[in-house]
Amino acid sequence: DGGITQSPKYLFRKEGQNVTLSCEQNLNHDAMYWYRQDPGQGLRLIYYSQIVNDFQKGDIAEGYSVSREKKESFPLTVTSAQKNPTAFYLCASRTDRLSGQPQHFGDGTRLSIL
Amino acid sequence: QKEVEQNSGPLSVPEGAIASLNCTYSDRGSQSFFWYRQYSGKSPELIMFIYSNGDKEDGRFTAQLNKASQYVSLLIRDSQPSDSATYLCAGTDSWGKLQFGAGTQVVVTP
């Protein structure tokens, strides 16, 4: 089945530690996105990538980093510089940024501080 | 700041009634609009998308778009308890990025 797989489902970070969230898609989509959702709030864009080896900062990129070495994969690293990382992280993909097609989401990773 | 705004709710709807959700957006360049349903603790699920002025119907759901008024709405007919969720409105900017509203919580009461 085609879809977007995020792992792990739950993740705990110790102070000063970097952690990496995985996002893999087998939909052959060019564009991929990372969002953060805090309780009772909408989704805020962290980073996005429209093509392999290229990515752009979203609205809240500070304290995060990404890579896009393969079309299928768009991992997100939450660095120690992100002082308030506790949130629900969602990865999404779509055919391409110009198609007007909707984004589809993975099941999310819930990150908490130990 | 380009924004998408929704009433946070909760919107309480009797079972079998019509739920009406509203969304306004500030970016006149927005072309495509999406409604997502999000159950508590889960990821958003696409319900409807609309690109043209007017109405678009899919089963019990109808999306309405008025670009002149910068207004998008979602109607849920014959509301069911399983429709209880948060509904997120989103619009694309010229770069294809989505701007999300904070969501409207819908509670369908038996």
Side-chain angles (χ1 to χ4, degrees), chain A residues 61-103:
Chain A
E62 186 173 352
Y64 300 96
S65 66
V66 294
S67 63
R68 186 88 186 274
E69 298 176 1
K70 298 187 300 182
K71 188 175 186 177
E72 302 79 16
S73 179
F74 191 41
L76 174 74
T77 296
V78 184
T79 73
S80 58
Q82 173 49 246
K83 298 306 180 186
N84 184 23
T86 297
F88 189 37
Y89 290 86
L90 289 158
C91 178
S93 71
R94 60 186 279 184
T95 307
D96 63 69
R97 73 168 181 90
L98 297 176
S99 69
Q101 292 299 305
Q103 293 181 15

mmCIF file of all heavy atoms in Angstrom, chain A residues 61-103:
data_model
loop_
_atom_site.group_PDB
_atom_site.id
_atom_site.type_symbol
_atom_site.label_atom_id
_atom_site.label_comp_id
_atom_site.label_asym_id
_atom_site.label_seq_id
_atom_site.Cartn_x
_atom_site.Cartn_y
_atom_site.Cartn_z
ATOM 1 N N ALA A 61 11.740 27.347 11.488
ATOM 2 C CA ALA A 61 12.849 26.443 11.232
ATOM 3 C C ALA A 61 13.934 26.450 12.309
ATOM 4 O O ALA A 61 14.746 25.518 12.381
ATOM 5 C CB ALA A 61 13.469 26.775 9.887
ATOM 6 N N GLU A 62 13.983 27.457 13.126
ATOM 7 C CA GLU A 62 15.063 27.561 14.111
ATOM 8 C C GLU A 62 15.064 26.375 15.069
ATOM 9 O O GLU A 62 14.042 26.036 15.657
ATOM 10 C CB GLU A 62 14.946 28.862 14.900
ATOM 11 C CG GLU A 62 16.103 29.105 15.840
ATOM 12 C CD GLU A 62 16.059 30.471 16.501
ATOM 13 O OE1 GLU A 62 15.214 31.288 16.104
ATOM 14 O OE2 GLU A 62 16.863 30.708 17.416
ATOM 15 N N GLY A 63 16.247 25.741 15.210
ATOM 16 C CA GLY A 63 16.362 24.594 16.101
ATOM 17 C C GLY A 63 16.094 23.267 15.426
ATOM 18 O O GLY A 63 16.129 22.225 16.079
ATOM 19 N N TYR A 64 15.841 23.298 14.119
ATOM 20 C CA TYR A 64 15.574 22.092 13.348
ATOM 21 C C TYR A 64 16.510 22.023 12.145
ATOM 22 O O TYR A 64 16.978 23.045 11.667
ATOM 23 C CB TYR A 64 14.131 22.076 12.846
ATOM 24 C CG TYR A 64 13.073 22.126 13.919
ATOM 25 C CD1 TYR A 64 12.486 23.343 14.289
ATOM 26 C CD2 TYR A 64 12.645 20.971 14.559
ATOM 27 C CE1 TYR A 64 11.506 23.392 15.268
ATOM 28 C CE2 TYR A 64 11.658 21.015 15.541
ATOM 29 C CZ TYR A 64 11.101 22.238 15.885
ATOM 30 O OH TYR A 64 10.133 22.293 16.854
ATOM 31 N N SER A 65 16.737 20.808 11.651
ATOM 32 C CA SER A 65 17.467 20.646 10.399
ATOM 33 C C SER A 65 16.877 19.467 9.648
ATOM 34 O O SER A 65 16.246 18.568 10.244
ATOM 35 C CB SER A 65 18.960 20.434 10.639
ATOM 36 O OG SER A 65 19.204 19.215 11.306
ATOM 37 N N VAL A 66 17.066 19.454 8.324
ATOM 38 C CA VAL A 66 16.544 18.386 7.478
ATOM 39 C C VAL A 66 17.566 18.029 6.418
ATOM 40 O O VAL A 66 18.551 18.731 6.198
ATOM 41 C CB VAL A 66 15.228 18.798 6.774
ATOM 42 C CG1 VAL A 66 14.095 19.005 7.771
ATOM 43 C CG2 VAL A 66 15.446 20.037 5.922
ATOM 44 N N SER A 67 17.301 16.926 5.725
ATOM 45 C CA SER A 67 18.059 16.542 4.548
ATOM 46 C C SER A 67 17.096 15.886 3.571
ATOM 47 O O SER A 67 16.036 15.383 3.962
ATOM 48 C CB SER A 67 19.196 15.595 4.907
ATOM 49 O OG SER A 67 18.683 14.379 5.450
ATOM 50 N N ARG A 68 17.462 15.906 2.298
ATOM 51 C CA ARG A 68 16.626 15.242 1.276
ATOM 52 C C ARG A 68 17.569 14.608 0.257
ATOM 53 O O ARG A 68 17.750 15.083 -0.852
ATOM 54 C CB ARG A 68 15.693 16.247 0.595
ATOM 55 C CG ARG A 68 14.716 15.563 -0.361
ATOM 56 C CD ARG A 68 13.472 15.127 0.293
ATOM 57 N NE ARG A 68 12.595 14.359 -0.572
ATOM 58 C CZ ARG A 68 11.690 14.893 -1.404
ATOM 59 N NH1 ARG A 68 11.600 16.228 -1.519
ATOM 60 N NH2 ARG A 68 10.907 14.112 -2.117
ATOM 61 N N GLU A 69 18.175 13.500 0.670
ATOM 62 C CA GLU A 69 19.142 12.807 -0.184
ATOM 63 C C GLU A 69 18.461 11.827 -1.136
ATOM 64 O O GLU A 69 19.023 11.454 -2.159
ATOM 65 C CB GLU A 69 20.181 12.103 0.682
ATOM 66 C CG GLU A 69 21.008 13.060 1.537
ATOM 67 C CD GLU A 69 21.971 12.335 2.461
ATOM 68 O OE1 GLU A 69 22.009 11.091 2.420
ATOM 69 O OE2 GLU A 69 22.674 13.021 3.222
ATOM 70 N N LYS A 70 17.267 11.407 -0.764
ATOM 71 C CA LYS A 70 16.499 10.493 -1.601
ATOM 72 C C LYS A 70 15.082 11.041 -1.736
ATOM 73 O O LYS A 70 14.561 11.685 -0.821
ATOM 74 C CB LYS A 70 16.439 9.102 -0.977
ATOM 75 C CG LYS A 70 17.764 8.423 -0.816
ATOM 76 C CD LYS A 70 17.570 6.986 -0.339
ATOM 77 C CE LYS A 70 16.851 6.910 0.987
ATOM 78 N NZ LYS A 70 16.700 5.524 1.482
ATOM 79 N N LYS A 71 14.444 10.741 -2.840
ATOM 80 C CA LYS A 71 13.089 11.219 -3.070
ATOM 81 C C LYS A 71 12.134 10.706 -2.010
ATOM 82 O O LYS A 71 11.207 11.394 -1.604
ATOM 83 C CB LYS A 71 12.610 10.763 -4.457
ATOM 84 C CG LYS A 71 11.286 11.342 -4.898
ATOM 85 C CD LYS A 71 10.983 10.927 -6.332
ATOM 86 C CE LYS A 71 9.732 11.607 -6.837
ATOM 87 N NZ LYS A 71 9.467 11.270 -8.254
ATOM 88 N N GLU A 72 12.387 9.490 -1.540
ATOM 89 C CA GLU A 72 11.454 8.843 -0.635
ATOM 90 C C GLU A 72 11.578 9.312 0.808
ATOM 91 O O GLU A 72 10.712 9.043 1.626
ATOM 92 C CB GLU A 72 11.674 7.327 -0.659
ATOM 93 C CG GLU A 72 11.526 6.682 -2.023
ATOM 94 C CD GLU A 72 12.756 6.856 -2.899
ATOM 95 O OE1 GLU A 72 13.840 7.197 -2.377
ATOM 96 O OE2 GLU A 72 12.623 6.673 -4.125
ATOM 97 N N SER A 73 12.678 9.967 1.150
ATOM 98 C CA SER A 73 13.000 10.175 2.554
ATOM 99 C C SER A 73 13.248 11.648 2.880
ATOM 100 O O SER A 73 13.957 12.340 2.129
ATOM 101 C CB SER A 73 14.246 9.345 2.902
ATOM 102 O OG SER A 73 14.613 9.539 4.246
ATOM 103 N N PHE A 74 12.717 12.091 4.006
ATOM 104 C CA PHE A 74 12.875 13.492 4.420
ATOM 105 C C PHE A 74 12.967 13.532 5.950
ATOM 106 O O PHE A 74 12.024 13.913 6.633
ATOM 107 C CB PHE A 74 11.687 14.305 3.908
ATOM 108 C CG PHE A 74 11.837 15.802 4.034
ATOM 109 C CD1 PHE A 74 13.033 16.440 3.758
ATOM 110 C CD2 PHE A 74 10.738 16.580 4.393
ATOM 111 C CE1 PHE A 74 13.153 17.817 3.849
ATOM 112 C CE2 PHE A 74 10.854 17.971 4.488
ATOM 113 C CZ PHE A 74 12.054 18.588 4.221
ATOM 114 N N PRO A 75 14.106 13.140 6.526
ATOM 115 C CA PRO A 75 14.222 13.111 7.979
ATOM 116 C C PRO A 75 14.364 14.504 8.588
ATOM 117 O O PRO A 75 14.961 15.395 7.987
ATOM 118 C CB PRO A 75 15.493 12.283 8.217
ATOM 119 C CG PRO A 75 16.284 12.459 6.959
ATOM 120 C CD PRO A 75 15.292 12.616 5.847
ATOM 121 N N LEU A 76 13.829 14.646 9.774
ATOM 122 C CA LEU A 76 13.886 15.902 10.527
ATOM 123 C C LEU A 76 14.698 15.688 11.797
ATOM 124 O O LEU A 76 14.410 14.761 12.561
ATOM 125 C CB LEU A 76 12.478 16.356 10.906
ATOM 126 C CG LEU A 76 12.371 17.583 11.837
ATOM 127 C CD1 LEU A 76 12.707 18.859 11.072
ATOM 128 C CD2 LEU A 76 10.964 17.685 12.444
ATOM 129 N N THR A 77 15.708 16.532 12.024
ATOM 130 C CA THR A 77 16.475 16.488 13.263
ATOM 131 C C THR A 77 16.067 17.647 14.145
ATOM 132 O O THR A 77 16.079 18.808 13.696
ATOM 133 C CB THR A 77 17.985 16.528 12.988
ATOM 134 O OG1 THR A 77 18.361 15.352 12.263
ATOM 135 C CG2 THR A 77 18.781 16.571 14.287
ATOM 136 N N VAL A 78 15.692 17.321 15.357
ATOM 137 C CA VAL A 78 15.386 18.326 16.360
ATOM 138 C C VAL A 78 16.652 18.511 17.174
ATOM 139 O O VAL A 78 17.084 17.589 17.875
ATOM 140 C CB VAL A 78 14.209 17.889 17.252
ATOM 141 C CG1 VAL A 78 13.844 19.000 18.237
ATOM 142 C CG2 VAL A 78 13.001 17.514 16.400
ATOM 143 N N THR A 79 17.270 19.657 17.065
ATOM 144 C CA THR A 79 18.568 19.855 17.704
ATOM 145 C C THR A 79 18.393 20.376 19.130
ATOM 146 O O THR A 79 17.295 20.791 19.535
ATOM 147 C CB THR A 79 19.428 20.841 16.910
ATOM 148 O OG1 THR A 79 18.924 22.170 17.095
ATOM 149 C CG2 THR A 79 19.438 20.499 15.430
ATOM 150 N N SER A 80 19.495 20.391 19.857
ATOM 151 C CA SER A 80 19.471 20.884 21.237
ATOM 152 C C SER A 80 19.163 22.381 21.294
ATOM 153 O O SER A 80 18.807 22.905 22.352
ATOM 154 C CB SER A 80 20.801 20.598 21.925
ATOM 155 O OG SER A 80 21.859 21.195 21.198
ATOM 156 N N ALA A 81 19.264 23.056 20.151
ATOM 157 C CA ALA A 81 18.950 24.485 20.103
ATOM 158 C C ALA A 81 17.449 24.748 20.178
ATOM 159 O O ALA A 81 17.028 25.870 20.479
ATOM 160 C CB ALA A 81 19.512 25.100 18.819
ATOM 161 N N GLN A 82 16.654 23.721 19.937
ATOM 162 C CA GLN A 82 15.197 23.868 20.029
ATOM 163 C C GLN A 82 14.833 23.649 21.496
ATOM 164 O O GLN A 82 14.809 22.526 21.989
ATOM 165 C CB GLN A 82 14.501 22.851 19.128
ATOM 166 C CG GLN A 82 12.975 22.800 19.256
ATOM 167 C CD GLN A 82 12.304 24.148 19.193
ATOM 168 O OE1 GLN A 82 11.718 24.631 20.155
ATOM 169 N NE2 GLN A 82 12.401 24.772 18.031
ATOM 170 N N LYS A 83 14.548 24.734 22.184
ATOM 171 C CA LYS A 83 14.362 24.686 23.645
ATOM 172 C C LYS A 83 12.987 24.188 24.067
ATOM 173 O O LYS A 83 12.799 23.823 25.222
ATOM 174 C CB LYS A 83 14.599 26.090 24.229
ATOM 175 C CG LYS A 83 16.013 26.600 23.994
ATOM 176 C CD LYS A 83 17.061 25.630 24.502
ATOM 177 C CE LYS A 83 18.471 26.155 24.272
ATOM 178 N NZ LYS A 83 19.495 25.130 24.634
ATOM 179 N N ASN A 84 12.037 24.181 23.163
ATOM 180 C CA ASN A 84 10.690 23.736 23.497
ATOM 181 C C ASN A 84 10.221 22.735 22.449
ATOM 182 O O ASN A 84 9.332 23.025 21.646
ATOM 183 C CB ASN A 84 9.739 24.935 23.571
ATOM 184 C CG ASN A 84 8.347 24.522 24.008
ATOM 185 O OD1 ASN A 84 8.170 23.493 24.646
ATOM 186 N ND2 ASN A 84 7.356 25.313 23.637
ATOM 187 N N PRO A 85 10.799 21.541 22.435
ATOM 188 C CA PRO A 85 10.520 20.610 21.344
ATOM 189 C C PRO A 85 9.267 19.766 21.527
ATOM 190 O O PRO A 85 8.856 19.079 20.598
ATOM 191 C CB PRO A 85 11.753 19.704 21.353
ATOM 192 C CG PRO A 85 12.138 19.652 22.795
ATOM 193 C CD PRO A 85 11.852 21.031 23.341
ATOM 194 N N THR A 86 8.664 19.814 22.697
ATOM 195 C CA THR A 86 7.508 18.958 22.957
ATOM 196 C C THR A 86 6.351 19.352 22.045
ATOM 197 O O THR A 86 5.840 20.467 22.124
ATOM 198 C CB THR A 86 7.079 19.075 24.427
ATOM 199 O OG1 THR A 86 8.141 18.612 25.263
ATOM 200 C CG2 THR A 86 5.830 18.251 24.692
ATOM 201 N N ALA A 87 5.954 18.440 21.167
ATOM 202 C CA ALA A 87 4.901 18.721 20.198
ATOM 203 C C ALA A 87 4.608 17.444 19.415
ATOM 204 O O ALA A 87 5.270 16.425 19.572
ATOM 205 C CB ALA A 87 5.324 19.835 19.231
ATOM 206 N N PHE A 88 3.604 17.541 18.570
ATOM 207 C CA PHE A 88 3.231 16.485 17.634
ATOM 208 C C PHE A 88 3.800 16.887 16.275
ATOM 209 O O PHE A 88 3.492 17.959 15.770
ATOM 210 C CB PHE A 88 1.702 16.378 17.610
ATOM 211 C CG PHE A 88 1.146 15.217 16.863
ATOM 212 C CD1 PHE A 88 1.766 13.976 16.881
ATOM 213 C CD2 PHE A 88 -0.035 15.337 16.137
ATOM 214 C CE1 PHE A 88 1.229 12.886 16.216
ATOM 215 C CE2 PHE A 88 -0.587 14.243 15.461
ATOM 216 C CZ PHE A 88 0.054 13.033 15.501
ATOM 217 N N TYR A 89 4.661 16.027 15.702
ATOM 218 C CA TYR A 89 5.326 16.351 14.457
ATOM 219 C C TYR A 89 4.710 15.544 13.318
ATOM 220 O O TYR A 89 4.589 14.314 13.396
ATOM 221 C CB TYR A 89 6.828 16.065 14.555
ATOM 222 C CG TYR A 89 7.526 17.044 15.462
ATOM 223 C CD1 TYR A 89 7.576 16.829 16.831
ATOM 224 C CD2 TYR A 89 8.105 18.205 14.943
ATOM 225 C CE1 TYR A 89 8.205 17.732 17.681
ATOM 226 C CE2 TYR A 89 8.729 19.112 15.776
ATOM 227 C CZ TYR A 89 8.767 18.873 17.145
ATOM 228 O OH TYR A 89 9.384 19.781 17.975
ATOM 229 N N LEU A 90 4.353 16.241 12.264
ATOM 230 C CA LEU A 90 3.671 15.622 11.132
ATOM 231 C C LEU A 90 4.450 15.835 9.851
ATOM 232 O O LEU A 90 4.896 16.937 9.549
ATOM 233 C CB LEU A 90 2.272 16.227 10.981
ATOM 234 C CG LEU A 90 1.286 15.826 12.069
ATOM 235 C CD1 LEU A 90 0.165 16.836 12.174
ATOM 236 C CD2 LEU A 90 0.731 14.445 11.789
ATOM 237 N N CYS A 91 4.615 14.758 9.114
ATOM 238 C CA CYS A 91 5.248 14.798 7.809
ATOM 239 C C CYS A 91 4.151 14.661 6.753
ATOM 240 O O CYS A 91 3.182 13.910 6.948
ATOM 241 C CB CYS A 91 6.245 13.651 7.685
ATOM 242 S SG CYS A 91 7.073 13.539 6.097
ATOM 243 N N ALA A 92 4.286 15.402 5.668
ATOM 244 C CA ALA A 92 3.293 15.340 4.601
ATOM 245 C C ALA A 92 3.999 15.328 3.256
ATOM 246 O O ALA A 92 5.171 15.720 3.141
ATOM 247 C CB ALA A 92 2.343 16.538 4.680
ATOM 248 N N SER A 93 3.291 14.878 2.241
ATOM 249 C CA SER A 93 3.836 14.925 0.898
ATOM 250 C C SER A 93 2.726 15.228 -0.102
ATOM 251 O O SER A 93 1.541 15.075 0.200
ATOM 252 C CB SER A 93 4.529 13.607 0.533
ATOM 253 O OG SER A 93 3.578 12.578 0.341
ATOM 254 N N ARG A 94 3.138 15.693 -1.272
ATOM 255 C CA ARG A 94 2.191 15.908 -2.360
ATOM 256 C C ARG A 94 2.941 15.726 -3.663
ATOM 257 O O ARG A 94 4.166 15.736 -3.695
ATOM 258 C CB ARG A 94 1.551 17.290 -2.290
ATOM 259 C CG ARG A 94 2.524 18.419 -2.359
ATOM 260 C CD ARG A 94 1.847 19.739 -2.137
ATOM 261 N NE ARG A 94 1.202 20.229 -3.347
ATOM 262 C CZ ARG A 94 0.611 21.392 -3.425
ATOM 263 N NH1 ARG A 94 0.525 22.175 -2.374
ATOM 264 N NH2 ARG A 94 0.062 21.787 -4.548
ATOM 265 N N THR A 95 2.205 15.616 -4.752
ATOM 266 C CA THR A 95 2.800 15.313 -6.045
ATOM 267 C C THR A 95 3.912 16.305 -6.377
ATOM 268 O O THR A 95 5.028 15.929 -6.677
ATOM 269 C CB THR A 95 1.725 15.335 -7.143
ATOM 270 O OG1 THR A 95 0.664 14.468 -6.748
ATOM 271 C CG2 THR A 95 2.291 14.906 -8.465
ATOM 272 N N ASP A 96 3.603 17.568 -6.362
ATOM 273 C CA ASP A 96 4.589 18.637 -6.518
ATOM 274 C C ASP A 96 3.933 19.922 -6.057
ATOM 275 O O ASP A 96 2.725 19.968 -5.860
ATOM 276 C CB ASP A 96 5.100 18.753 -7.958
ATOM 277 C CG ASP A 96 3.992 19.123 -8.934
ATOM 278 O OD1 ASP A 96 3.501 20.263 -8.882
ATOM 279 O OD2 ASP A 96 3.606 18.251 -9.730
ATOM 280 N N ARG A 97 4.687 20.953 -5.906
ATOM 281 C CA ARG A 97 4.158 22.171 -5.279
ATOM 282 C C ARG A 97 3.222 22.942 -6.210
ATOM 283 O O ARG A 97 2.463 23.770 -5.761
ATOM 284 C CB ARG A 97 5.298 23.090 -4.828
ATOM 285 C CG ARG A 97 6.027 23.819 -5.958
ATOM 286 C CD ARG A 97 6.918 24.917 -5.416
ATOM 287 N NE ARG A 97 7.603 25.634 -6.469
ATOM 288 C CZ ARG A 97 7.118 26.710 -7.076
ATOM 289 N NH1 ARG A 97 5.926 27.189 -6.732
ATOM 290 N NH2 ARG A 97 7.807 27.321 -8.022
ATOM 291 N N LEU A 98 3.296 22.637 -7.508
ATOM 292 C CA LEU A 98 2.495 23.418 -8.442
ATOM 293 C C LEU A 98 1.210 22.718 -8.865
ATOM 294 O O LEU A 98 0.388 23.288 -9.550
ATOM 295 C CB LEU A 98 3.328 23.741 -9.684
ATOM 296 C CG LEU A 98 4.564 24.613 -9.456
ATOM 297 C CD1 LEU A 98 5.331 24.775 -10.750
ATOM 298 C CD2 LEU A 98 4.176 25.962 -8.881
ATOM 299 N N SER A 99 1.054 21.490 -8.470
ATOM 300 C CA SER A 99 -0.074 20.716 -8.981
ATOM 301 C C SER A 99 -1.407 21.133 -8.392
ATOM 302 O O SER A 99 -2.443 20.847 -8.964
ATOM 303 C CB SER A 99 0.141 19.233 -8.705
ATOM 304 O OG SER A 99 0.047 18.988 -7.307
ATOM 305 N N GLY A 100 -1.384 21.771 -7.246
ATOM 306 C CA GLY A 100 -2.630 22.098 -6.581
ATOM 307 C C GLY A 100 -3.251 20.922 -5.881
ATOM 308 O O GLY A 100 -4.326 21.033 -5.312
ATOM 309 N N GLN A 101 -2.589 19.802 -5.927
ATOM 310 C CA GLN A 101 -3.099 18.618 -5.260
ATOM 311 C C GLN A 101 -2.900 18.730 -3.747
ATOM 312 O O GLN A 101 -2.011 19.438 -3.281
ATOM 313 C CB GLN A 101 -2.370 17.372 -5.782
ATOM 314 C CG GLN A 101 -2.683 17.044 -7.230
ATOM 315 C CD GLN A 101 -4.162 16.768 -7.419
ATOM 316 O OE1 GLN A 101 -4.741 15.912 -6.743
ATOM 317 N NE2 GLN A 101 -4.790 17.501 -8.322
ATOM 318 N N PRO A 102 -3.735 18.040 -3.001
ATOM 319 C CA PRO A 102 -3.636 18.150 -1.541
ATOM 320 C C PRO A 102 -2.407 17.451 -0.985
ATOM 321 O O PRO A 102 -1.837 16.572 -1.614
ATOM 322 C CB PRO A 102 -4.913 17.465 -1.052
ATOM 323 C CG PRO A 102 -5.276 16.526 -2.148
ATOM 324 C CD PRO A 102 -4.851 17.196 -3.425
ATOM 325 N N GLN A 103 -2.038 17.848 0.193
ATOM 326 C CA GLN A 103 -0.999 17.149 0.934
ATOM 327 C C GLN A 103 -1.647 16.010 1.730
ATOM 328 O O GLN A 103 -2.763 16.133 2.210
ATOM 329 C CB GLN A 103 -0.296 18.109 1.903
ATOM 330 C CG GLN A 103 0.504 19.188 1.212
ATOM 331 C CD GLN A 103 1.204 20.096 2.198
ATOM 332 O OE1 GLN A 103 1.331 19.778 3.382
ATOM 333 N NE2 GLN A 103 1.687 21.230 1.730
#
